[in-house]
Amino acid sequence: MRKKVHTVAKGRKNGLYSGISEELSALMRTGWADTERRDLRLDEQAPYAARRRARLSARFPGERLVVPSGNLKVRSNDDLYPFRPFSGYVHMTGDRARDGALVMEPRADGGHDAYCYQLPRDGRDTDEFWTGATAELWTGRRRSLAESEAVLGLPCRDVRTAARDLAAASGAPTRIVRGVDPALQAAVTTDEERDAELEEALGDLRLVKDDWEIAQLREAVDATVRGFVDVVGDLSTAVASSERWIEGTFFRRARLEGNSVGYGSICAAGEHATIMHWTDNDGPVRPGDLLLLDAGVETRTLYTADVTRTLPISGTFTPLQREVYDAVHEAQEAGMAAVKPGAAYRDFHEAAQRHLAARLVDWGFVPGPAERAYELGLQRRFTMAGTGHMLGLDVHDCAQARNEEYVDGELEPGMVLTVEPGLYFQPDDLTVPREWRGIGVRIEDDLLVTGDGHENLSAGLPRSSADVEEWMARHAG
């Protein structure tokens, strides 16, 4: 019998197969249909991405810019986290593929020629397409370079040459977004401070959303509203199980209508509602307690909503719960009234916090007068966080933007932000009466700054205590 020669197989150390025979290798390389897609059209986001790149180009004439998408990350052993690309890359390309990079090569006229490095399809002439945890036959078909060019409206190159190409590039200084792709970062010689300026610019350019982005955020918010309705309809089952049922109910809507949730859902019942970022979601759901649900659907294009409602699990607020809830609602009303073009970004935060400081003084929980309490920040024992943030591709969008453009700037039409005041009375806080301990309330909406004020994108969900009770009665399972 002829001896078979085996090649070394890729995969687990303790895999069941020790190698690949020449006959199997030859068999696997033959008999595959041509699946190249030649009917693809330019993505509707592509013209908007081109305009975004033009604005980035104007910031850095004569410089080479590198914006990577990022790589897969190990969750455990050979199990990987779902891939989420760097938001600045998505914004500038419309692409969501792993191991990619946007490169903007400077021209003599001060502009740039942009092209996109992509991981091409696995060829059928080697064993790579069917061996290894990230091979196409294991994880699914990728776009070819030609297909990506058709969709993105950008010249596309094989990313496997990117590090070599960038290392050999000359004639212009280079900036790269750090911490996204270690191999590409190692291939270039750059200055950390100048690289940080590139990341700041990418944040600045996301502050004002274009029409396409606003449409995506509307889609995200509308799906989120439906997810909240789902939860109310399932509350009786959650009472019989736990917060995990609520998390799963909302997640089903997020996966059905979008990519996923835009961040870890906060499904906080009872005293868990006093924990700002409670994501364990494993506690009981008891009638008589409040449920603080902070959740958002992320669209397939990665734009996310961020909405919070605090709901009486039994369908009706107790008198004390209503008093706290109404104070937070009034603070939100004050904050939302301050959202308009030309207003300082901080205005909505200050308006809401001043109102809550006054209520805390009235209740005797912080010493007055109210203005002094606010100036000293005494309300923060019970309000904890700021009153909102920008929203978009990230739930805390534009986080690297310059302070003078963001937190110390002015609101402009096209900005989208959250207004989310809250009061949190910790279960072990001896400075408040026992009956107040363990009550947490937050109300959060997503606002679009318009030419003459704002639009509440999440107005499909009720906000006043009376409206919440009526809404829950209509949708309760």
Side-chain angles (χ1 to χ4, degrees):
M1 180 181 291
R2 183 170 60 87
K3 183 179 180 182
K4 295 183 179 180
V5 178
H6 291 71
T7 58
V8 176
K10 296 180 181 179
R12 298 184 183 93
K13 176 182 178 182
N14 58 351
L16 293 174
Y17 293 109
S18 59
I20 302 168
S21 69
E22 289 183 347
E23 289 83 355
L24 174 57
S25 179
L27 175 65
M28 290 300 296
R29 298 184 196 195
T30 60
W32 300 101
D34 178 9
T35 61
E36 181 75 8
R37 296 195 59 187
R38 298 172 178 86
D39 59 344
L40 295 177
R41 297 183 178 180
L42 189 68
D43 187 83
E44 64 178 3
Q45 185 179 183
Y48 294 93
R51 288 193 283 272
R52 299 166 198 160
R53 291 193 297 273
R55 294 169 62 198
L56 182 65
S57 173
R59 294 255 190 139
F60 301 102
E63 300 187 62
R64 183 178 299 106
L65 310 176
V66 184
V67 184
S69 70
N71 317 121
L72 294 168
K73 291 181 173 60
V74 174
R75 179 179 182 269
S76 177
N77 194 20
D78 56 359
D79 183 35
L80 301 167
Y81 284 108
F83 177 68
R84 173 57 159 82
F86 172 57
S87 294
Y89 172 84
V90 177
H91 191 240
M92 287 291 143
T93 64
D95 184 47
R96 298 179 293 281
R98 65 179 175 94
D99 300 320
L102 170 69
V103 174
M104 298 180 64
E105 191 69 29
R107 297 193 307 260
D109 64 4
H112 288 81
D113 291 321
Y115 53 91
C116 197
Y117 279 106
Q118 297 267 288
L119 186 64
R121 297 200 63 203
D122 288 333
R124 298 300 193 258
D125 56 344
T126 73
D127 294 326
E128 290 183 359
F129 79 98
W130 69 280
T131 59
T134 61
E136 275 192 295
L137 212 60
W138 287 77
T139 61
R141 186 188 188 280
R142 296 190 292 271
R143 285 196 305 243
S144 70
L145 296 182
E147 290 170 348
S148 288
E149 287 186 349
V151 171
L152 303 179
L154 277 169
C156 291
R157 304 180 181 183
D158 189 335
V159 74
R160 292 172 296 187
T161 70
R164 184 183 67 217
D165 295 348
L166 289 171
S170 60
T174 299
R175 297 179 192 250
I176 189 171
V177 179
R178 295 188 172 219
V180 180
D181 189 316
L184 295 185
Q185 185 173 322
V188 295
T189 300
T190 61
D191 176 79
E192 185 173 355
E193 184 175 341
R194 295 175 66 255
D195 289 346
E197 291 171 352
L198 171 58
E199 190 170 3
E200 284 179 343
L202 291 168
D204 291 351
L205 293 173
R206 299 216 311 269
L207 285 167
V208 176
K209 272 58 181 177
D210 56 40
D211 291 343
W212 187 89
E213 292 181 283
I214 292 170
Q216 293 301 301
L217 286 165
R218 289 187 190 279
E219 181 181 317
V221 171
D222 290 347
T224 298
V225 168
R226 290 187 283 274
F228 274 69
V229 172
D230 294 341
V231 167
V232 171
D234 258 10
L235 267 182
S236 59
T237 306
V239 168
S241 54
S242 74
E243 296 164 341
R244 293 190 179 191
W245 190 269
I246 295 168
E247 180 180 6
T249 297
F250 188 86
F251 181 74
R252 182 176 64 243
R253 176 65 64 176
R255 286 293 287 161
L256 177 67
E257 296 199 27
N259 177 58
S260 185
V261 290
Y263 52 95
S265 298
I266 298 170
C267 309
E271 65 182 36
H272 289 161
T274 66
I275 302 172
M276 287 294 298
H277 290 160
W278 172 258
T279 56
D280 287 354
N281 299 335
D282 59 358
V285 179
R286 301 187 182 96
D289 285 345
L290 296 175
L291 167 67
L292 190 157
L293 177 60
D294 184 336
V297 171
E298 178 186 75
T299 65
R300 289 177 175 87
T301 58
L302 307 186
Y303 285 80
T304 187
D306 181 11
V307 178
T308 307
R309 288 296 183 269
T310 305
L311 311 173
I313 294 169
S314 62
T316 305
F317 292 100
T318 68
L320 180 55
Q321 289 170 350
R322 187 185 304 274
E323 184 174 1
V324 177
Y325 185 95
D326 288 349
V328 174
H329 179 231
E330 291 161 4
Q332 193 197 31
E333 289 278 274
M336 289 170 65
V339 175
K340 53 191 174 184
Y345 174 83
R346 294 179 182 271
D347 285 354
F348 76 92
H349 164 73
E350 293 179 354
Q353 292 292 307
R354 287 179 187 277
H355 180 85
L356 293 176
R359 293 304 300 268
L360 290 164
V361 169
D362 292 342
W363 290 329
F365 298 159
V366 296
E371 184 61 26
R372 177 180 179 276
Y374 172 75
E375 292 299 331
L376 295 176
L378 303 184
Q379 82 285 353
R380 293 178 61 184
R381 179 182 178 103
F382 305 102
T383 64
M384 301 281 289
T387 313
H389 50 80
M390 292 295 182
L391 185 67
L393 278 166
D394 293 328
V395 64
H396 293 158
D397 206 29
C398 314
Q400 300 304 318
R402 292 172 296 170
N403 284 350
E404 57 266 33
E405 296 294 324
Y406 187 167
V407 70
D408 295 327
E410 292 185 353
L411 297 179
E412 299 179 38
M415 289 181 170
V416 179
L417 63 148
T418 69
V419 179
E420 51 173 316
L423 284 172
Y424 312 94
F425 299 102
Q426 302 301 323
D428 58 347
D429 189 344
L430 301 181
T431 69
V432 299
R434 182 178 299 275
E435 62 270 21
W436 292 70
R437 300 173 199 165
I439 294 178
V441 173
R442 179 162 69 251
I443 311 171
E444 178 181 21
D445 284 271
D446 301 343
L447 273 60
L448 166 67
V449 182
T450 62
D452 57 0
H454 68 263
E455 176 188 352
N456 182 1
L457 300 179
S458 46
L461 290 174
R463 292 189 298 119
S464 74
S465 55
D467 288 346
V468 166
E469 290 175 336
E470 188 275 331
W471 172 75
M472 291 185 68
R474 279 191 287 116
H475 293 288

